[in-house]
């Protein structure tokens, strides 16, 4: 796959990425377990179905509120990080070769073998390539290229290079 794309990551796309990191069911479920877990002793002492249902509703509400607060915090953090990190705002060229991909900006060049990709995620307007828990490539949707096609090609190359085969791909 010899392909090259060029883009500039906008602030709203970067914020979508930061929100996707925290606004998911895993985070909500963790908050639910924590908030409901603190009330188990009270539920056991005065057990009734109505009491149990009311504590479940309270735990769902608290979990939703905590998830919303964390999401708002990540929006503010995304705005701050985007404005401070000039590398994120630079024109980026991604070259996709047969065995590796290459990110080129005005100040950096980074090569990554497909086998080193940890995870590939496609959202509505961005493609996220996870390199590590702290480093990702964010490719925004564009009229010049199709991120859905890019996603499927990258997934295929990653699977071929790692020897991983999916039964229902």
């Amino acid at each position: 796959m010899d392909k090259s794309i060029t883009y500039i990551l906008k602030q709203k796309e970067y914020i979508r990425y930061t929100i996707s990191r925290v606004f998911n069911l895993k985070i909500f479920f963790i908050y639910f377990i924590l908030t409901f877990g603190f009330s188990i002793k009270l539920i056991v002492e005065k057990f009734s179905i109505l009491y149990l249902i009311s504590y479940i509703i309270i735990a769902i509400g608290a979990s939703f509120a905590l998830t919303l607060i964390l999401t708002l915090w990540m929006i503010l953090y995304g705005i701050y990080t985007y404005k401070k990190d000039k590398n994120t705002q630079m024109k980026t060229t991604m070259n996709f070769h047969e065995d590796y991909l290459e990110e080129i900006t005005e100040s950096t060049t980074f090569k990554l073998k497909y086998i080193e990709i940890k995870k590939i995620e496609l959202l509505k307007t961005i493609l996220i390539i996870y390199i590590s828990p702290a480093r990702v490539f964010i490719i925004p949707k564009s009229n010049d290229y199709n991120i859905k096609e890019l996603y499927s090609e990258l997934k295929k190359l990653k699977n071929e290079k790692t020897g991983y085969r999916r039964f229902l791909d």
Side-chain angles (χ1 to χ4, degrees):
M1 168 181 158
D2 285 320
K3 187 174 191 160
S4 181
I5 61 172
T6 302
Y7 60 88
I8 296 175
L9 187 65
K10 295 183 176 107
Q11 184 176 4
K12 67 179 183 174
E13 291 148 349
Y14 185 78
I15 291 171
R16 279 193 182 113
Y17 159 70
T18 59
I19 290 172
S20 74
R21 301 278 295 166
V22 297
F23 194 73
N24 59 44
L25 286 176
K26 290 178 193 173
I27 300 294
F28 180 81
F29 188 67
I30 289 170
Y31 286 149
F32 177 78
I33 295 296
L34 288 174
T35 55
F36 189 71
F38 287 123
S39 60
I40 287 178
K41 185 177 179 184
L42 294 171
I43 294 170
V44 170
E45 288 176 359
K46 300 178 181 182
F47 185 78
S48 75
I49 295 297
L50 193 58
Y51 212 59
L52 177 66
I53 292 171
S54 65
Y55 271 103
I56 289 173
I57 291 171
I58 290 169
I60 288 172
S63 302
F64 181 74
L66 289 170
T67 304
L68 185 63
I69 290 168
L70 182 61
T71 302
L72 292 174
W73 176 256
M74 288 308 289
I75 290 171
L76 294 174
Y77 177 74
I79 292 169
Y80 172 78
T81 305
Y82 183 83
K83 288 181 178 178
K84 289 291 183 183
D85 187 4
K86 297 302 178 195
N87 288 333
T88 306
Q89 302 170 29
M90 289 182 185
K91 181 178 173 184
T92 304
T93 301
M94 294 286 285
N95 297 319
F96 300 96
H97 303 285
E98 197 60 39
D99 293 328
Y100 65 94
L101 62 88
E102 180 180 35
E103 178 197 48
I104 302 169
T105 65
E106 296 169 18
S107 61
T108 63
T109 298
F110 186 83
K111 290 183 181 182
L112 179 74
K113 293 180 181 177
Y114 295 119
I115 196 168
E116 296 172 325
I117 294 175
K118 303 298 180 210
K119 181 180 168 185
I120 304 169
E121 186 176 357
L122 179 65
L123 301 180
K124 199 177 233 179
T125 59
I126 57 175
L127 173 65
I128 307 167
I129 303 170
Y130 291 88
I131 300 168
S132 72
R135 176 82 199 254
V136 297
F137 293 138
I138 305 168
I139 302 173
K141 185 177 182 178
S142 174
N143 293 331
D144 299 333
Y145 53 87
N146 187 338
I147 59 172
K148 290 180 183 178
E149 288 176 9
L150 196 56
Y151 170 75
S152 63
E153 289 179 37
L154 284 172
K155 198 160 184 132
K156 186 178 113 184
L157 283 168
K158 179 186 179 323
N159 292 344
E160 284 175 4
K161 301 304 175 193
T162 58
Y164 176 72
R165 301 281 187 251
R166 288 186 64 138
F167 295 109
L168 301 173
D169 231 0

